[in-house]
Amino acid sequence: MIFTDQLNRQITLAHPPQRIISLVPSQTELLYSLGLDKEVVGITKFCVHPSTWFREKTRIGGTKQIHQDRIAALSPDLIIANKEENLAADVEPLMQDYPVWVSNIQTLEDALNMIAGVGAITRREQAAATLVNQIKAGFAALPVRTTTIPTAYFIWRDPWMVAGGDTFINEMLRACGLHNVFGGQLRYPAVTAKQLSDSGCGLVLLSSEPYPFREKHMAELQAILPHARIQLVDGEMFSWYGSRLLASAAYFSTLTF
């Protein structure tokens, strides 16, 4: 059968995959949610969910430090990757030897299409369709805000880095009824103290990943933005675009902005 990934590449599989490697933490969790277990033979060192897989599955390196020899030793018949989280220099050589399905996600619709696509190529179509419908229902139930709050979502410190407008995080902020003050910039720009103070930001969200922000970091930003509210948030809920989205909408509804 022929399948099309989110880069519009065609992947041909003669049989349902039995030796899958995932190079993306959120998509690893998705494979688990789709009922795949023995079929998944390799994951990254950042694939912490489910915890049993993190302890038991073979790790092939990081999302951006892939060990080609470990992958070859596992003889995969399908590799699941992502355009942003993995490096083209790592993934393109794999495409010469293995079927590689690549996701490309900026919006919630992209994420839902990814779930359906992974469900199709792993022959878990019904489980994927159920998951998509549950996620849609969760986001549809989120309250609609009458006013939006100017917000900055931080992913890094030294330098300060924020989520821009072409990111999946930006899509999740919009779902929460928040306005990204750096939405006019691309990817994850570094910002200065002056840019922050001039941004009109009324809410600062400090993510738990990739930088592990803690309460001790809040004072640094409060000095730059004395009138802004600063809050720690679970980064997985804002940036993991697989089955973690089942929990994201419920989590967003508990946040007070």
Side-chain angles (χ1 to χ4, degrees):
M1 295 181 67
I2 298 175
F3 304 89
T4 303
D5 71 8
Q6 291 185 299
L7 299 184
N8 289 319
R9 297 172 51 257
Q10 290 191 332
I11 299 96
T12 301
L13 293 184
H15 307 285
Q18 297 298 310
R19 299 189 60 79
I20 304 170
I21 290 177
S22 172
L23 307 181
V24 187
S26 60
Q27 293 175 181
T28 296
E29 185 178 40
L30 170 63
L31 294 172
Y32 174 78
S33 299
L34 294 178
L36 298 152
D37 186 359
K38 61 182 178 60
E39 294 89 350
V40 177
V41 297
I43 62 176
T44 79
K45 64 181 181 180
F46 300 118
C47 296
V48 296
H49 300 299
S51 59
T52 52
W53 284 15
F54 182 69
R55 294 191 300 268
E56 298 168 1
K57 300 289 185 183
T58 300
R59 301 180 201 172
I60 52 74
T63 54
K64 292 180 170 61
Q65 293 178 319
I66 295 167
H67 297 289
Q68 304 280 344
D69 57 334
R70 295 183 191 176
I71 289 178
L74 291 172
S75 301
D77 54 11
L78 176 64
I79 297 174
I80 305 291
N82 175 262
K83 181 182 178 181
E84 177 182 333
E85 294 197 44
N86 304 127
L87 297 175
D90 285 332
V91 175
E92 287 174 357
L94 296 174
M95 293 175 175
Q96 306 305 312
D97 298 316
Y98 313 103
V100 181
W101 195 97
V102 184
S103 62
N104 182 24
I105 297 167
Q106 294 179 348
T107 67
L108 180 58
E109 183 178 3
D110 291 338
L112 298 177
N113 288 338
M114 178 275 293
I115 292 171
V118 171
I121 200 169
T122 60
R123 311 304 204 273
R124 293 294 193 277
E125 294 94 334
Q126 187 54 56
T130 299
L131 190 56
V132 166
N133 289 334
Q134 291 173 334
I135 292 170
K136 284 181 177 180
F139 276 84
L142 283 174
V144 177
R145 296 183 180 275
T146 55
T147 59
T148 56
I149 304 171
T151 304
Y153 185 102
F154 282 76
I155 65 156
W156 203 255
R157 173 180 175 272
D158 196 21
W160 298 116
M161 294 176 68
V162 297
D166 61 340
T167 62
F168 186 69
I169 292 171
N170 185 74
E171 177 88 345
M172 295 298 97
L173 292 175
R174 185 163 38 244
C176 293
L178 304 176
H179 168 66
N180 185 356
V181 295
F182 294 105
Q185 299 191 44
L186 302 180
R187 310 316 299 151
Y188 304 98
V191 294
T192 65
K194 186 176 189 310
Q195 286 175 307
L196 289 172
S197 61
D198 291 345
S199 68
C201 179
L203 174 66
V204 170
L205 299 182
L206 300 182
S207 178
S208 60
E209 62 170 43
Y211 187 89
F213 282 105
R214 298 290 185 267
E215 288 188 7
K216 64 183 181 181
H217 302 116
M218 298 170 71
E220 298 178 63
L221 282 163
Q222 200 72 76
I224 300 171
L225 298 164
H227 303 296
R229 180 175 179 182
I230 301 177
Q231 188 168 337
L232 298 172
V233 294
D234 185 340
E236 291 180 359
M237 298 298 182
F238 283 87
S239 62
W240 283 42
Y241 39 74
S243 49
R244 179 67 35 161
L245 289 169
L246 276 173
S248 292
Y251 174 74
F252 296 156
S253 68
T254 68
L255 298 176
T256 55
F257 300 128

